[in-house]
Amino acid sequence: MADVNALTSSAYSQALEVIASVEPRVAEATRQELADQRASLKLIASENYASPAVLLTMGTWFSDKYAEGTVGHRFYAGCQNVDTVEALAAEHARELFGAEYAYVQPHSGIDANLTAYWAILAHRVEGPWLQNAGVKNMNDLSETEWERLRNELGNQRLLGMSLDAGGHLTHGFRPNISGKMFHQQQYGTDPETGLLDYDALAAKAREFKPLIIVAGYSAYPRRVNFAKMREIADEVGATLMVDMAHFAGLVAGKVFTGDEDPVPHAHVVTSTSHKSLRGPRGGFILATDEYAPSVDRGCPMVLGGPLSHVMAAKAVAFAEARRPEFQTYAQDIADNAKALAEGFLKRGVKLVTGGTDNHIVLLDVSSLGITGRQAESALLDSGVVTNRNSVPSDPNGAWYTSGVRLGTPALTTRGLGADEFDQVADLIVNVLKSTSPGTTSAGAPSKASYVIADGVAEKTKAAAAELMGRFPLYPGLDLS
Ligand code: DSN
């Protein structure tokens, strides 16, 4: 078999020369991005490193093709090759997740969620309303009827997990469009344990009677019982939508099975392809056959033209995730998160929910006397890339925060194991304990500025680069 590393090296070296011939600064930034990603500890829970095969698939002339519509049913001519890659991506997704139907066109997780919301509204509200009115085509509605339908669509209810409990902006957060297009209510976590309180959620659902219950999270470090969520949805007549963007890799890799696998329990599942699933940047939707025809209308009713080059890369990534080694990878993600959490707990750092059983570890840095923003900045100076995050009922709000979210998918891809994640915890704790709040230019206490004890950032940066040097990113890829 060909030496993939050598091929990748020459492919990228030559590609960068071609780019440099037009705009050398873009070629240089691209080289620098690789150098930076190679040297730093990437602990952003939603990031990963896609394989060279996935990355290379994105850089082709599929980018030049319009393909609005669906496979075999396009609004443009000449889509035969797009049909091939879109059908392949959908087939791999269905097989990988055991889904009845897959839609691989969404450009991102937010696009996937918006498409899913409109599909559910179309299936549950618009379709029955039109049928009731005896109207086949929306364009045949009188202005008065149209106004009534719009009111009906605009008066639906959504129940989702609150942002500070770990939910996503698109799960009904008021400033987000999802919090404006629906009457929304939010569920949270138990104030004592930080864990999802299914009884409180069920009580809220009974009272609020939402059309849609959204499950899933972007900063909750625990597993969810989707069978229980479906029971609650069924009891109140709601559609259960699960946003698995963060943990799709753990579902694909069979770490989350049975009640923890959303696919058999939800009506509609949305996801991204680039987080723990390790594919190209993009989104996709899985659904039961019942919801498929409405989801299929995503483009051009909600989405712009599909990114055919990214759909091709999704097909490659999903094929990779169907290999047995992906299951080992997914289990390693969860094992490494446990090791990382243990590393913090034994060094006295507080964790939201007291630990993890997925890929996320959420540090509560308030007891260290700093904000999440100060912690994030001090860590970045030290070669550790993370993101600040709210903790439940965060006194510092969503901008400064009291938390730092960490995730293991990326560094697990580089091959780090439990011992190295313990070392990572040690480096982070040392930086955080060496950081103190700074002051504003007027001398007032600041939630943003910070002071790191002399030499700590430099020493940590060197240790991070040394550790990363032992686990090279894209080994063999030489751009010199
Ligand atoms: N930006 C993603 C994350 O970091 O979790 C969610 O949108």
Side-chain angles (χ1 to χ4, degrees):
M1 194 173 125
D3 178 347
V4 173
N5 288 331
L7 290 175
T8 307
S9 238
S10 74
Y12 276 111
S13 299
Q14 290 170 30
L16 286 169
E17 273 184 48
V18 174
I19 296 166
S21 72
V22 180
E23 178 43 289
R25 290 169 296 183
V26 169
E28 188 43 42
T30 308
R31 281 175 191 274
Q32 191 57 46
E33 180 61 23
L34 178 63
D36 291 352
Q37 290 206 24
R38 277 181 159 164
S40 58
L41 290 176
K42 190 200 264 212
L43 283 159
I44 292 183
S46 48
E47 292 187 4
N48 211 327
Y49 307 101
S51 71
V54 168
L55 296 179
L56 286 166
T57 308
M58 277 189 282
T60 78
W61 28 92
F62 267 126
S63 170
D64 298 331
K65 188 78 196 94
Y66 251 121
E68 286 173 17
T70 49
V71 174
H73 186 80
R74 305 282 185 189
F75 292 88
Y76 291 82
C79 294
Q80 60 282 1
N81 299 309
V82 179
D83 279 356
T84 301
V85 295
E86 180 171 354
L88 272 171
E91 180 190 321
H92 280 307
R94 283 194 307 273
E95 292 294 326
L96 179 61
F97 292 104
E100 289 177 9
Y101 164 79
Y103 184 66
V104 298
Q105 294 194 13
H107 310 154
S108 69
I110 287 184
D111 286 5
N113 285 350
L114 284 179
T115 305
Y117 289 147
W118 284 109
I120 296 166
L121 286 171
H123 181 66
R124 294 277 314 269
V125 180
E126 182 182 286
W129 194 96
L130 289 172
Q131 202 174 12
N132 212 23
V135 178
K136 283 215 172 66
N137 188 331
M138 222 176 293
N139 292 328
D140 296 337
L141 291 172
S142 69
E143 280 307 306
T144 317
E145 286 172 321
W146 175 231
E147 197 54 34
R148 278 200 207 113
L149 173 57
R150 277 168 25 86
N151 281 339
E152 194 70 21
L153 287 167
N155 259 317
Q156 300 302 321
R157 296 172 188 190
L158 177 96
L159 179 61
M161 192 174 193
S162 69
L163 191 65
D164 72 344
H168 189 254
L169 293 165
T170 52
H171 298 178
F173 184 55
R174 279 212 171 129
N176 182 264
I177 188 169
S178 60
K180 293 171 184 149
M181 64 189 263
F182 291 107
H183 296 292
Q184 53 73 256
Q185 281 199 13
Q186 304 260 269
Y187 61 87
T189 45
D190 181 280
E192 294 297 313
T193 61
L195 299 173
L196 256 179
D197 181 344
Y198 295 95
D199 292 336
L201 165 56
K204 197 165 242 188
R206 278 182 211 117
E207 197 185 324
F208 185 50
K209 298 207 176 2
L211 178 80
I212 304 173
I213 295 180
V214 186
Y217 50 79
S218 52
Y220 178 67
R222 296 291 175 177
R223 301 183 186 194
V224 173
N225 184 327
F226 296 111
K228 222 177 244 182
M229 298 293 284
R230 176 62 186 260
E231 261 174 46
I232 297 169
D234 283 347
E235 189 192 326
V236 301
T239 296
L240 178 63
M241 173 174 142
V242 176
D243 177 349
M244 67 166 183
H246 256 265
F247 51 90
L250 300 181
V251 179
K254 312 285 180 241
V255 175
F256 291 0
T257 56
D259 292 352
E260 295 166 354
D261 177 352
V263 180
H265 303 294
H267 299 94
V268 180
V269 177
T270 59
S271 188
T272 54
S273 37
H274 51 273
K275 298 186 173 87
S276 54
L277 193 51
R278 208 165 57 181
R281 184 162 296 282
F284 65 99
I285 300 174
L286 308 173
T288 57
D289 284 334
E290 182 192 346
Y291 283 83
S294 309
V295 174
D296 251 351
R297 292 169 56 199
C299 169
M301 295 306 159
V302 183
L303 297 168
L307 309 176
S308 304
H309 54 308
V310 181
M311 292 197 296
K314 286 172 188 168
V316 174
F318 297 158
E320 286 177 348
R322 291 182 67 191
R323 293 177 175 169
E325 52 267 35
F326 193 85
Q327 295 190 14
T328 311
Y329 166 64
Q331 188 58 52
D332 289 346
I333 290 176
D335 293 346
N336 285 337
K338 275 212 182 324
L340 184 64
E342 288 301 321
F344 286 115
L345 292 172
K346 76 183 184 200
R347 292 174 178 89
V349 175
K350 195 172 155 200
L351 302 182
V352 173
T353 77
T356 179
D357 49 30
N358 55 23
H359 62 297
I360 294 172
V361 174
L362 188 53
L363 310 184
D364 182 341
V365 295
S366 52
S367 61
L368 299 168
I370 51 177
T371 62
R373 168 105 187 248
Q374 289 160 332
E376 175 195 85
S377 303
L379 287 169
L380 187 63
D381 290 350
S382 310
V384 183
V385 189
T386 65
N387 68 282
R388 65 187 185 281
N389 209 99
S390 305
V391 300
S393 309
D394 200 315
N396 285 322
W399 181 248
Y400 293 110
T401 82
S402 303
V404 175
R405 186 187 67 165
L406 310 173
T408 52
L411 293 187
T412 301
T413 293
R414 288 181 76 158
L416 276 72
D419 289 347
E420 290 80 24
F421 272 97
D422 185 63
Q423 190 188 338
V424 169
D426 192 50
L427 292 173
I428 291 176
V429 173
N430 190 37
V431 172
L432 297 181
K433 288 189 172 167
S434 308
T435 302
S436 47
T439 51
T440 64
S441 50
S446 167
K447 289 185 177 188
S449 67
Y450 56 97
V451 180
I452 314 176
D454 272 355
V456 171
E458 296 73 15
K459 219 172 115 201
T460 309
K461 206 170 197 171
E466 188 279 326
L467 179 60
M468 291 296 84
R470 287 196 275 130
F471 297 90
L473 173 61
Y474 306 124
L477 172 52
D478 179 6
L479 295 183
S480 55

